[in-house]
Amino acid sequence: MKKIKIVLLIIVLLIPLSIASLFVVFPILNNISLSKFEKQFERYPLPEETSLIEVKSVVGKLNGNGNSIDFFVGLLIQSELSKDELTHYYEHAQYAGAKVEKRNVLIEVLTVEDRVLHSKYLEHRQLKFNKLENINDFSNYYFVTIYDGGYPALFDIRGN
């Protein structure tokens, strides 16, 4: 009888622990996906007369309503090229989705107005770029972003 109680106790403890572990595993998997998503963007060659200043990325419910996970990467660059030239350059790039390779990854080139990246894809978050802290003249500074979203949140509470 005592052995049965011990087995039942172990089962009763393992079930909640197994479910709770999902809330750890899924965020880790999403962080790995974000890292891969970011690295492919960083590896893409910069256009001429352009230098990379800083990179920021985030995963979570970034815009809209509902439960889903979005992936966003922003590059801060300094370039002698115009916004239109940069947009043309980056629109021709092919990026894999954060979790599904054949996805339509959205690209955006924005002029820098302050330390915060203002993007339609970051409705619920802010990305501040530290390298802009002591800069007063934002001429020739741009944010280049990629976004992939709408994945099921599952057990990642950042998707709520």
Side-chain angles (χ1 to χ4, degrees), residues 41 72-74 106-108 110 117 119 121 143-147:
F41 194 32
F72 183 90
V73 181
L106 303 171
I107 300 168
E108 191 177 38
L110 305 163
L117 192 160
S119 170
Y121 303 117
F143 293 121
V144 183
T145 71
I146 57 173
Y147 168 84

Side-chain angles (χ1 to χ4, degrees), residues 53-153:
I53 307 299
E54 190 174 359
V55 180
K56 295 274 183 166
S57 60
V58 65
V59 60
K61 183 65 193 158
L62 304 179
N63 61 60
N65 297 319
N67 292 336
S68 65
I69 289 290
D70 306 316
F71 297 85
F72 183 90
V73 181
L75 302 181
L76 170 62
I77 61 171
Q78 189 173 19
S79 181
E80 296 301 317
L81 301 178
S82 70
K83 178 181 175 185
D84 289 340
E85 291 170 316
L86 290 167
T87 300
H88 179 74
Y89 179 81
Y90 280 101
E91 281 180 344
H92 289 82
Q94 296 291 320
Y95 298 107
K99 293 183 123 186
V100 176
E101 192 168 321
K102 302 275 189 215
R103 288 271 300 225
N104 185 23
V105 173
L106 303 171
I107 300 168
E108 191 177 38
V109 177
L110 305 163
T111 55
V112 174
E113 298 170 7
D114 59 31
R115 286 183 55 209
V116 178
L117 192 160
H118 302 281
S119 170
K120 61 186 171 188
Y121 303 117
L122 289 177
E123 200 178 314
H124 304 301
R125 294 280 172 88
Q126 276 192 344
L127 289 182
K128 291 183 181 176
F129 286 78
N130 301 329
K131 300 279 182 160
L132 291 172
E133 195 168 298
N134 298 318
I135 305 286
N136 295 320
D137 180 10
F138 299 119
S139 302
N140 299 329
Y141 283 92
Y142 300 92
F143 293 121
V144 183
T145 71
I146 57 173
Y147 168 84
D148 185 23
Y151 293 99

